Amino acid sequence: MKKIVVLTGSPHHPGTSEQLADAFVKGAIEAGNEVYRFDAGRRIDEFSLIQLEDNHPGQEIEVEPDDIIKREVMPKLLEADLVVLVSSLYYYGINSALKAVIDRFYSYNHELHGGKQAVTLVSGYGQEDAFASLNLYLKQLLDYMRWQPVGSVLAADSWNEQKLAQHVQEAYTLGKGIA
């Protein structure tokens, strides 16, 4: 059994990236894993953006608010074996709510580096080439965090119900295979 944290960013309900997340979670739970999910896009009023004090020579210090990210998300993330990042394509990148949560990793960089696996689930209405910068960002993030990628679903053309259904099945199968 793995401890899995699923972080989503889209506010759309029901949205295409939400469908990917739902399918992955269903498969992961069926496989006997423990899953914690935080839907940042629908909970933005519960957390703050990263705030830094830069009046310390040579370093920045995060001013960490006592919010849901500190009290709930980070403890789960620190314990996680696998992190699932779920986003829809927003102007060639991830959506802002998920990015805000990722930015809050700052105070926990040393504790979060290494030892985790990662899955990315991304949906969007463009062709696969429209995802190039988003895929590069996710690759660089996972490399920086030293998280081992163990799977991804790229749901291009997610407006197409048949294609989306195939990608949702891929996400389910990916989740079901996590053990």
Side-chain angles (χ1 to χ4, degrees), residues 18-45:
E18 180 179 51
Q19 291 177 55
L20 296 176
D22 291 346
F24 180 90
V25 167
K26 180 180 180 196
I29 289 172
E30 287 177 8
N33 297 292
E34 177 184 320
V35 178
Y36 167 79
R37 179 172 170 169
F38 183 70
D39 294 305
R42 291 199 302 274
R43 299 180 73 178
I44 57 173
D45 58 335

Side-chain angles (χ1 to χ4, degrees), residues 99-170:
K99 179 68 168 87
V101 173
I102 291 169
D103 286 349
R104 292 285 299 277
F105 292 2
Y106 186 82
S107 286
Y108 302 89
N109 261 342
H110 296 295
E111 296 94 333
L112 289 172
H113 275 250
K116 297 190 186 307
Q117 296 178 318
V119 165
T120 56
L121 306 175
V122 179
S123 67
Y125 283 15
Q127 301 292 321
E128 287 189 22
D129 61 340
F131 294 81
S133 58
L134 183 144
N135 288 332
L136 178 59
Y137 168 76
L138 290 172
K139 180 191 178 317
Q140 290 175 317
L141 175 65
L142 298 184
D143 286 349
Y144 174 74
M145 298 306 293
R146 295 189 289 259
W147 293 350
Q148 177 189 3
V150 294
S152 67
V153 174
L154 175 63
D157 288 337
S158 59
W159 57 268
N160 180 314
E161 289 183 28
Q162 284 182 313
K163 285 185 178 180
L164 180 60
Q166 291 171 339
H167 295 305
V168 167
Q169 182 60 43
E170 286 176 54

Side-chain angles (χ1 to χ4, degrees), residues 53-61:
E53 284 183 10
D54 57 1
N55 58 353
H56 303 278
Q59 66 179 353
E60 295 174 327
I61 306 290

Side-chain angles (χ1 to χ4, degrees), residues 30-105:
E30 287 177 8
N33 297 292
E34 177 184 320
V35 178
Y36 167 79
R37 179 172 170 169
F38 183 70
D39 294 305
R42 291 199 302 274
R43 299 180 73 178
I44 57 173
D45 58 335
E46 297 179 54
F47 65 94
S48 300
L49 299 176
I50 190 171
Q51 300 171 32
L52 301 175
E53 284 183 10
D54 57 1
N55 58 353
H56 303 278
Q59 66 179 353
E60 295 174 327
I61 306 290
E62 182 179 357
V63 179
E64 188 176 19
D66 187 21
D67 60 11
I68 193 164
I69 300 296
K70 179 181 179 178
R71 289 188 313 271
E72 186 177 307
V73 176
M74 283 304 164
K76 294 287 189 184
L77 195 56
L78 290 168
E79 293 178 0
D81 302 304
L82 177 98
V83 180
V84 182
L85 302 173
V86 185
S87 182
S88 42
L89 180 67
Y90 275 63
Y91 297 98
Y92 306 100
I94 64 172
N95 45 42
S96 62
L98 179 59
K99 179 68 168 87
V101 173
I102 291 169
D103 286 349
R104 292 285 299 277
F105 292 2

